[in-house]
Amino acid sequence: MKDKLEEINSIAGVMDSVLVNKNGSIVSSQKSPYLTKGILESIGREVMQLDTTIKYTGEDIKGFDLLYDYGRVIVQKGNDFYLIVLCKSSVDTSLLRLTLNVVLKDLNEKKDPKGHFGIKMFNRT
Amino acid sequence: MANILNGTLSQMNLSEILKLLISGSKTGRLELSKDEKKGDIYLKDGAILYAKWNNKSGVDALYELMTWMNGDFNFVPDASINNLTGDMFDMGIQNIDEWSRVISEEWSSIRKIIPTTDVVFKITANKTPKEVNLKAEEWKVLANINGAKSVEEIAQCIGLSEFDTSRIICRLCKEGLIEETEKPKPMSNEIVNGNFFPLLEEALTKFMGPMASIIVDEKTKMLKYERNAFPKSKLAKLIEHISNEISDESKRVSFQQSMLGVIKNI
């Protein structure tokens, strides 16, 4: 799993990527020179709450892209997890999206011995 | 439910599609997508009842969608209009000529200054512009003008639509703050070598058959480049545009995976 995050982090402009479960807890992350575990957990919880709020409106989206003055947070939803990528505005979004699609497919298909992750394909709506 | 109408907006623009659906008294959902952006327009018996894009609905969303010059569309007949949130068009819109006219006039005025969204602007060096007041969004655009980023890239960076970004750039240009500059030419080592396109066609043929070559040409031209001078920095974008032509999700990701491997080795 770490190698998948490493693949994402190797893209120019990506600051960090983290995998959180549907409770907002970190499942896997790279050792980031920028962000502490506490900050990543806080981002994970925010993402989970945002997704829950969106679901209340009757929408079910496959991810979101949050733009800030100093960068962006791109979130892709897996079966039982969120893949969160923190990056600079200058990131090649096409390359990032292609990589995330491939990584997400791999993660969704990955069988976790503890059964924490789903093994179904990620459904695009 | 079978899809009866789909394609790309570069082949048929949105106002033409809507006119077709309105004249045929169609009911259903017109799905529009461009990169990762998605929008929906709902019709009932040939009248537009609802439009949605991003967090906008109603007039704002329809106006925004009408400005799209490229992207994909797909009509899903008989889609339900129940459970929609946001502004509905109470009377239904059946005449979109006025909308098309206003947008087309705005676009043609923009096109005089920005012929394509691939154009690059720089801050004016020699002229001294008069005092200008800028809104927050205009300042964001101006802060991104650096003589290297194209209009499209700026729109992507700040999360505005190409139409709104173009409109702001036009104003900044008219105020004398910025001017068009030559797009930096890619160095020879930044151009993909001759092996790339045959590899791309070979990979795409597995998923799209003999149409592969035509699709590659169409998407390359859409990005305003030629095969023999295609910059490496735009490869991912090209792959993304091409892969959107593969409707099967699993096959699309397989194609993306194989091409990511190729990009990394270039």
Side-chain angles (χ1 to χ4, degrees), chain B residues 205-238:
Chain B
T205 304
K206 288 179 193 158
F207 300 96
M208 302 291 287
M211 290 294 286
S213 171
I214 297 167
I215 292 168
V216 171
D217 276 339
E218 186 189 307
K219 300 296 177 185
T220 308
K221 277 184 192 149
M222 200 181 93
L223 293 176
K224 317 265 188 274
Y225 290 102
E226 298 292 331
R227 284 189 184 216
N228 58 6
F230 198 89
K232 287 180 184 174
S233 59
K234 297 283 177 188
L235 277 181
K237 190 160 199 175
L238 177 67

mmCIF file of all heavy atoms in Angstrom, chain B residues 205-238:
data_model
loop_
_atom_site.group_PDB
_atom_site.id
_atom_site.type_symbol
_atom_site.label_atom_id
_atom_site.label_comp_id
_atom_site.label_asym_id
_atom_site.label_seq_id
_atom_site.Cartn_x
_atom_site.Cartn_y
_atom_site.Cartn_z
ATOM 1 N N THR B 205 -5.561 0.756 -30.012
ATOM 2 C CA THR B 205 -6.210 -0.166 -30.953
ATOM 3 C C THR B 205 -6.786 -1.374 -30.210
ATOM 4 O O THR B 205 -7.842 -1.887 -30.584
ATOM 5 C CB THR B 205 -5.208 -0.625 -32.038
ATOM 6 O OG1 THR B 205 -4.692 0.547 -32.667
ATOM 7 C CG2 THR B 205 -5.867 -1.498 -33.083
ATOM 8 N N LYS B 206 -6.120 -1.788 -29.128
ATOM 9 C CA LYS B 206 -6.620 -2.940 -28.362
ATOM 10 C C LYS B 206 -8.008 -2.659 -27.774
ATOM 11 O O LYS B 206 -8.782 -3.563 -27.523
ATOM 12 C CB LYS B 206 -5.656 -3.255 -27.203
ATOM 13 C CG LYS B 206 -4.355 -3.871 -27.658
ATOM 14 C CD LYS B 206 -3.462 -4.123 -26.462
ATOM 15 C CE LYS B 206 -2.050 -4.437 -26.938
ATOM 16 N NZ LYS B 206 -1.043 -4.191 -25.908
ATOM 17 N N PHE B 207 -8.290 -1.388 -27.522
ATOM 18 C CA PHE B 207 -9.563 -1.037 -26.879
ATOM 19 C C PHE B 207 -10.569 -0.428 -27.863
ATOM 20 O O PHE B 207 -11.771 -0.568 -27.695
ATOM 21 C CB PHE B 207 -9.324 -0.042 -25.741
ATOM 22 C CG PHE B 207 -8.422 -0.576 -24.676
ATOM 23 C CD1 PHE B 207 -7.068 -0.279 -24.681
ATOM 24 C CD2 PHE B 207 -8.916 -1.402 -23.679
ATOM 25 C CE1 PHE B 207 -6.225 -0.781 -23.704
ATOM 26 C CE2 PHE B 207 -8.081 -1.921 -22.706
ATOM 27 C CZ PHE B 207 -6.727 -1.616 -22.715
ATOM 28 N N MET B 208 -10.051 0.265 -28.883
ATOM 29 C CA MET B 208 -10.956 1.003 -29.778
ATOM 30 C C MET B 208 -10.944 0.484 -31.219
ATOM 31 O O MET B 208 -11.679 1.018 -32.057
ATOM 32 C CB MET B 208 -10.585 2.495 -29.803
ATOM 33 C CG MET B 208 -10.604 3.190 -28.456
ATOM 34 S SD MET B 208 -12.245 3.388 -27.774
ATOM 35 C CE MET B 208 -12.919 4.670 -28.793
ATOM 36 N N GLY B 209 -10.077 -0.460 -31.513
ATOM 37 C CA GLY B 209 -10.020 -1.000 -32.863
ATOM 38 C C GLY B 209 -9.456 0.006 -33.860
ATOM 39 O O GLY B 209 -8.657 0.884 -33.490
ATOM 40 N N PRO B 210 -9.910 -0.063 -35.127
ATOM 41 C CA PRO B 210 -9.322 0.779 -36.175
ATOM 42 C C PRO B 210 -9.577 2.278 -36.022
ATOM 43 O O PRO B 210 -8.972 3.092 -36.713
ATOM 44 C CB PRO B 210 -9.976 0.250 -37.459
ATOM 45 C CG PRO B 210 -11.160 -0.522 -37.020
ATOM 46 C CD PRO B 210 -10.916 -0.996 -35.646
ATOM 47 N N MET B 211 -10.469 2.650 -35.085
ATOM 48 C CA MET B 211 -10.740 4.079 -34.850
ATOM 49 C C MET B 211 -9.581 4.765 -34.129
ATOM 50 O O MET B 211 -9.525 5.992 -34.046
ATOM 51 C CB MET B 211 -12.001 4.238 -33.988
ATOM 52 C CG MET B 211 -13.297 3.887 -34.655
ATOM 53 S SD MET B 211 -13.639 5.031 -35.983
ATOM 54 C CE MET B 211 -14.103 6.480 -35.038
ATOM 55 N N ALA B 212 -8.671 3.964 -33.580
ATOM 56 C CA ALA B 212 -7.609 4.499 -32.721
ATOM 57 C C ALA B 212 -6.858 5.667 -33.362
ATOM 58 O O ALA B 212 -6.691 6.722 -32.751
ATOM 59 C CB ALA B 212 -6.649 3.378 -32.341
ATOM 60 N N SER B 213 -6.429 5.454 -34.605
ATOM 61 C CA SER B 213 -5.626 6.476 -35.276
ATOM 62 C C SER B 213 -6.391 7.798 -35.415
ATOM 63 O O SER B 213 -5.836 8.884 -35.194
ATOM 64 C CB SER B 213 -5.217 5.932 -36.644
ATOM 65 O OG SER B 213 -4.638 6.935 -37.390
ATOM 66 N N ILE B 214 -7.672 7.677 -35.760
ATOM 67 C CA ILE B 214 -8.502 8.885 -35.948
ATOM 68 C C ILE B 214 -8.658 9.623 -34.611
ATOM 69 O O ILE B 214 -8.547 10.847 -34.541
ATOM 70 C CB ILE B 214 -9.894 8.493 -36.513
ATOM 71 C CG1 ILE B 214 -9.714 7.853 -37.888
ATOM 72 C CG2 ILE B 214 -10.831 9.677 -36.579
ATOM 73 C CD1 ILE B 214 -10.922 7.139 -38.431
ATOM 74 N N ILE B 215 -8.884 8.837 -33.547
ATOM 75 C CA ILE B 215 -9.077 9.453 -32.221
ATOM 76 C C ILE B 215 -7.794 10.174 -31.788
ATOM 77 O O ILE B 215 -7.840 11.295 -31.284
ATOM 78 C CB ILE B 215 -9.498 8.383 -31.185
ATOM 79 C CG1 ILE B 215 -10.899 7.877 -31.516
ATOM 80 C CG2 ILE B 215 -9.480 8.951 -29.765
ATOM 81 C CD1 ILE B 215 -11.327 6.649 -30.773
ATOM 82 N N VAL B 216 -6.644 9.527 -32.010
ATOM 83 C CA VAL B 216 -5.367 10.146 -31.615
ATOM 84 C C VAL B 216 -5.183 11.473 -32.366
ATOM 85 O O VAL B 216 -4.838 12.496 -31.768
ATOM 86 C CB VAL B 216 -4.183 9.189 -31.882
ATOM 87 C CG1 VAL B 216 -2.852 9.906 -31.681
ATOM 88 C CG2 VAL B 216 -4.264 7.968 -30.973
ATOM 89 N N ASP B 217 -5.451 11.468 -33.661
ATOM 90 C CA ASP B 217 -5.317 12.692 -34.463
ATOM 91 C C ASP B 217 -6.257 13.787 -33.968
ATOM 92 O O ASP B 217 -5.857 14.941 -33.800
ATOM 93 C CB ASP B 217 -5.635 12.403 -35.934
ATOM 94 C CG ASP B 217 -4.424 11.846 -36.660
ATOM 95 O OD1 ASP B 217 -3.304 12.052 -36.172
ATOM 96 O OD2 ASP B 217 -4.600 11.184 -37.693
ATOM 97 N N GLU B 218 -7.510 13.373 -33.719
ATOM 98 C CA GLU B 218 -8.529 14.346 -33.296
ATOM 99 C C GLU B 218 -8.153 15.001 -31.963
ATOM 100 O O GLU B 218 -8.212 16.222 -31.811
ATOM 101 C CB GLU B 218 -9.872 13.607 -33.154
ATOM 102 C CG GLU B 218 -11.045 14.521 -32.851
ATOM 103 C CD GLU B 218 -12.302 13.730 -32.511
ATOM 104 O OE1 GLU B 218 -12.689 12.853 -33.313
ATOM 105 O OE2 GLU B 218 -12.876 13.978 -31.449
ATOM 106 N N LYS B 219 -7.716 14.181 -31.011
ATOM 107 C CA LYS B 219 -7.388 14.711 -29.678
ATOM 108 C C LYS B 219 -6.087 15.524 -29.705
ATOM 109 O O LYS B 219 -5.943 16.494 -28.964
ATOM 110 C CB LYS B 219 -7.281 13.580 -28.648
ATOM 111 C CG LYS B 219 -8.563 12.778 -28.487
ATOM 112 C CD LYS B 219 -9.691 13.624 -27.931
ATOM 113 C CE LYS B 219 -10.987 12.841 -27.850
ATOM 114 N NZ LYS B 219 -12.133 13.653 -27.437
ATOM 115 N N THR B 220 -5.149 15.127 -30.564
ATOM 116 C CA THR B 220 -3.895 15.892 -30.678
ATOM 117 C C THR B 220 -4.207 17.283 -31.218
ATOM 118 O O THR B 220 -3.715 18.295 -30.704
ATOM 119 C CB THR B 220 -2.912 15.160 -31.620
ATOM 120 O OG1 THR B 220 -2.781 13.823 -31.188
ATOM 121 C CG2 THR B 220 -1.545 15.808 -31.619
ATOM 122 N N LYS B 221 -5.053 17.324 -32.236
ATOM 123 C CA LYS B 221 -5.421 18.618 -32.836
ATOM 124 C C LYS B 221 -6.223 19.450 -31.843
ATOM 125 O O LYS B 221 -6.096 20.677 -31.801
ATOM 126 C CB LYS B 221 -6.231 18.385 -34.109
ATOM 127 C CG LYS B 221 -5.325 18.121 -35.298
ATOM 128 C CD LYS B 221 -6.101 17.974 -36.577
ATOM 129 C CE LYS B 221 -5.188 17.426 -37.676
ATOM 130 N NZ LYS B 221 -5.877 16.615 -38.633
ATOM 131 N N MET B 222 -7.055 18.774 -31.060
ATOM 132 C CA MET B 222 -7.872 19.486 -30.070
ATOM 133 C C MET B 222 -6.975 20.242 -29.077
ATOM 134 O O MET B 222 -7.320 21.327 -28.616
ATOM 135 C CB MET B 222 -8.728 18.470 -29.312
ATOM 136 C CG MET B 222 -9.931 19.054 -28.629
ATOM 137 S SD MET B 222 -10.796 17.749 -27.778
ATOM 138 C CE MET B 222 -10.043 17.908 -26.172
ATOM 139 N N LEU B 223 -5.810 19.672 -28.794
ATOM 140 C CA LEU B 223 -4.874 20.337 -27.878
ATOM 141 C C LEU B 223 -3.965 21.326 -28.607
ATOM 142 O O LEU B 223 -3.056 21.896 -28.020
ATOM 143 C CB LEU B 223 -4.025 19.288 -27.149
ATOM 144 C CG LEU B 223 -4.782 18.377 -26.176
ATOM 145 C CD1 LEU B 223 -3.860 17.314 -25.601
ATOM 146 C CD2 LEU B 223 -5.391 19.178 -25.036
ATOM 147 N N LYS B 224 -4.242 21.482 -29.920
ATOM 148 C CA LYS B 224 -3.519 22.457 -30.762
ATOM 149 C C LYS B 224 -2.045 22.107 -30.949
ATOM 150 O O LYS B 224 -1.190 22.989 -30.956
ATOM 151 C CB LYS B 224 -3.630 23.889 -30.188
ATOM 152 C CG LYS B 224 -4.995 24.278 -29.706
ATOM 153 C CD LYS B 224 -5.745 25.021 -30.772
ATOM 154 C CE LYS B 224 -7.047 25.589 -30.277
ATOM 155 N NZ LYS B 224 -8.167 24.680 -30.327
ATOM 156 N N TYR B 225 -1.757 20.820 -31.071
ATOM 157 C CA TYR B 225 -0.381 20.409 -31.340
ATOM 158 C C TYR B 225 -0.364 19.445 -32.520
ATOM 159 O O TYR B 225 -1.398 18.946 -32.938
ATOM 160 C CB TYR B 225 0.236 19.729 -30.113
ATOM 161 C CG TYR B 225 0.486 20.684 -28.969
ATOM 162 C CD1 TYR B 225 -0.378 20.729 -27.877
ATOM 163 C CD2 TYR B 225 1.573 21.550 -28.985
ATOM 164 C CE1 TYR B 225 -0.153 21.619 -26.827
ATOM 165 C CE2 TYR B 225 1.802 22.441 -27.941
ATOM 166 C CZ TYR B 225 0.934 22.461 -26.875
ATOM 167 O OH TYR B 225 1.158 23.341 -25.850
ATOM 168 N N GLU B 226 0.835 19.241 -33.033
ATOM 169 C CA GLU B 226 1.030 18.265 -34.108
ATOM 170 C C GLU B 226 1.784 17.076 -33.519
ATOM 171 O O GLU B 226 2.502 17.212 -32.530
ATOM 172 C CB GLU B 226 1.881 18.891 -35.240
ATOM 173 C CG GLU B 226 1.254 20.095 -35.904
ATOM 174 C CD GLU B 226 0.011 19.747 -36.709
ATOM 175 O OE1 GLU B 226 -0.086 18.609 -37.224
ATOM 176 O OE2 GLU B 226 -0.875 20.617 -36.797
ATOM 177 N N ARG B 227 1.652 15.943 -34.191
ATOM 178 C CA ARG B 227 2.342 14.739 -33.699
ATOM 179 C C ARG B 227 3.866 14.930 -33.634
ATOM 180 O O ARG B 227 4.512 14.413 -32.737
ATOM 181 C CB ARG B 227 2.055 13.556 -34.626
ATOM 182 C CG ARG B 227 0.667 12.962 -34.457
ATOM 183 C CD ARG B 227 0.577 11.684 -35.258
ATOM 184 N NE ARG B 227 -0.758 11.113 -35.204
ATOM 185 C CZ ARG B 227 -1.000 9.809 -35.178
ATOM 186 N NH1 ARG B 227 -0.001 8.959 -35.208
ATOM 187 N NH2 ARG B 227 -2.229 9.343 -35.145
ATOM 188 N N ASN B 228 4.406 15.674 -34.609
ATOM 189 C CA ASN B 228 5.867 15.790 -34.656
ATOM 190 C C ASN B 228 6.425 16.878 -33.728
ATOM 191 O O ASN B 228 7.634 17.084 -33.672
ATOM 192 C CB ASN B 228 6.339 16.013 -36.096
ATOM 193 C CG ASN B 228 5.718 17.249 -36.707
ATOM 194 O OD1 ASN B 228 5.016 17.993 -36.023
ATOM 195 N ND2 ASN B 228 5.971 17.477 -37.980
ATOM 196 N N ALA B 229 5.563 17.599 -33.046
ATOM 197 C CA ALA B 229 6.047 18.622 -32.105
ATOM 198 C C ALA B 229 5.151 18.631 -30.868
ATOM 199 O O ALA B 229 4.663 19.670 -30.439
ATOM 200 C CB ALA B 229 6.052 19.989 -32.767
ATOM 201 N N PHE B 230 4.967 17.460 -30.314
ATOM 202 C CA PHE B 230 4.075 17.363 -29.161
ATOM 203 C C PHE B 230 4.880 17.438 -27.853
ATOM 204 O O PHE B 230 5.791 16.637 -27.641
ATOM 205 C CB PHE B 230 3.267 16.062 -29.206
ATOM 206 C CG PHE B 230 2.062 16.098 -28.322
ATOM 207 C CD1 PHE B 230 0.849 16.569 -28.800
ATOM 208 C CD2 PHE B 230 2.139 15.718 -26.999
ATOM 209 C CE1 PHE B 230 -0.260 16.646 -27.979
ATOM 210 C CE2 PHE B 230 1.040 15.793 -26.156
ATOM 211 C CZ PHE B 230 -0.167 16.254 -26.652
ATOM 212 N N PRO B 231 4.565 18.417 -26.974
ATOM 213 C CA PRO B 231 5.375 18.560 -25.758
ATOM 214 C C PRO B 231 5.110 17.444 -24.744
ATOM 215 O O PRO B 231 3.976 17.013 -24.581
ATOM 216 C CB PRO B 231 4.935 19.909 -25.190
ATOM 217 C CG PRO B 231 3.616 20.181 -25.786
ATOM 218 C CD PRO B 231 3.505 19.434 -27.074
ATOM 219 N N LYS B 232 6.164 17.027 -24.071
ATOM 220 C CA LYS B 232 6.043 15.978 -23.054
ATOM 221 C C LYS B 232 5.084 16.404 -21.936
ATOM 222 O O LYS B 232 4.388 15.585 -21.360
ATOM 223 C CB LYS B 232 7.419 15.674 -22.444
ATOM 224 C CG LYS B 232 8.331 14.906 -23.365
ATOM 225 C CD LYS B 232 9.662 14.642 -22.689
ATOM 226 C CE LYS B 232 10.608 13.946 -23.646
ATOM 227 N NZ LYS B 232 11.952 13.779 -23.096
ATOM 228 N N SER B 233 5.089 17.724 -21.646
ATOM 229 C CA SER B 233 4.272 18.211 -20.538
ATOM 230 C C SER B 233 2.766 18.029 -20.776
ATOM 231 O O SER B 233 1.976 18.136 -19.850
ATOM 232 C CB SER B 233 4.571 19.690 -20.292
ATOM 233 O OG SER B 233 4.288 20.421 -21.467
ATOM 234 N N LYS B 234 2.377 17.793 -22.040
ATOM 235 C CA LYS B 234 0.948 17.654 -22.338
ATOM 236 C C LYS B 234 0.538 16.195 -22.555
ATOM 237 O O LYS B 234 -0.602 15.920 -22.928
ATOM 238 C CB LYS B 234 0.588 18.470 -23.602
ATOM 239 C CG LYS B 234 0.798 19.952 -23.461
ATOM 240 C CD LYS B 234 -0.311 20.588 -22.668
ATOM 241 C CE LYS B 234 -0.065 22.071 -22.465
ATOM 242 N NZ LYS B 234 -1.007 22.680 -21.557
ATOM 243 N N LEU B 235 1.489 15.282 -22.362
ATOM 244 C CA LEU B 235 1.189 13.874 -22.636
ATOM 245 C C LEU B 235 0.049 13.336 -21.771
ATOM 246 O O LEU B 235 -0.852 12.670 -22.274
ATOM 247 C CB LEU B 235 2.439 13.019 -22.382
ATOM 248 C CG LEU B 235 3.440 12.959 -23.526
ATOM 249 C CD1 LEU B 235 4.603 12.061 -23.160
ATOM 250 C CD2 LEU B 235 2.772 12.436 -24.789
ATOM 251 N N ALA B 236 0.107 13.632 -20.470
ATOM 252 C CA ALA B 236 -0.925 13.104 -19.567
ATOM 253 C C ALA B 236 -2.299 13.627 -19.971
ATOM 254 O O ALA B 236 -3.286 12.893 -19.946
ATOM 255 C CB ALA B 236 -0.609 13.503 -18.131
ATOM 256 N N LYS B 237 -2.330 14.890 -20.381
ATOM 257 C CA LYS B 237 -3.596 15.481 -20.794
ATOM 258 C C LYS B 237 -4.141 14.769 -22.041
ATOM 259 O O LYS B 237 -5.334 14.499 -22.147
ATOM 260 C CB LYS B 237 -3.385 16.971 -21.071
ATOM 261 C CG LYS B 237 -4.670 17.698 -21.270
ATOM 262 C CD LYS B 237 -4.496 19.163 -21.051
ATOM 263 C CE LYS B 237 -5.859 19.750 -20.803
ATOM 264 N NZ LYS B 237 -5.851 21.119 -20.457
ATOM 265 N N LEU B 238 -3.234 14.499 -22.977
ATOM 266 C CA LEU B 238 -3.638 13.798 -24.202
ATOM 267 C C LEU B 238 -4.191 12.407 -23.866
ATOM 268 O O LEU B 238 -5.249 12.013 -24.362
ATOM 269 C CB LEU B 238 -2.435 13.683 -25.158
ATOM 270 C CG LEU B 238 -2.686 12.919 -26.450
ATOM 271 C CD1 LEU B 238 -3.669 13.653 -27.355
ATOM 272 C CD2 LEU B 238 -1.390 12.678 -27.216
#
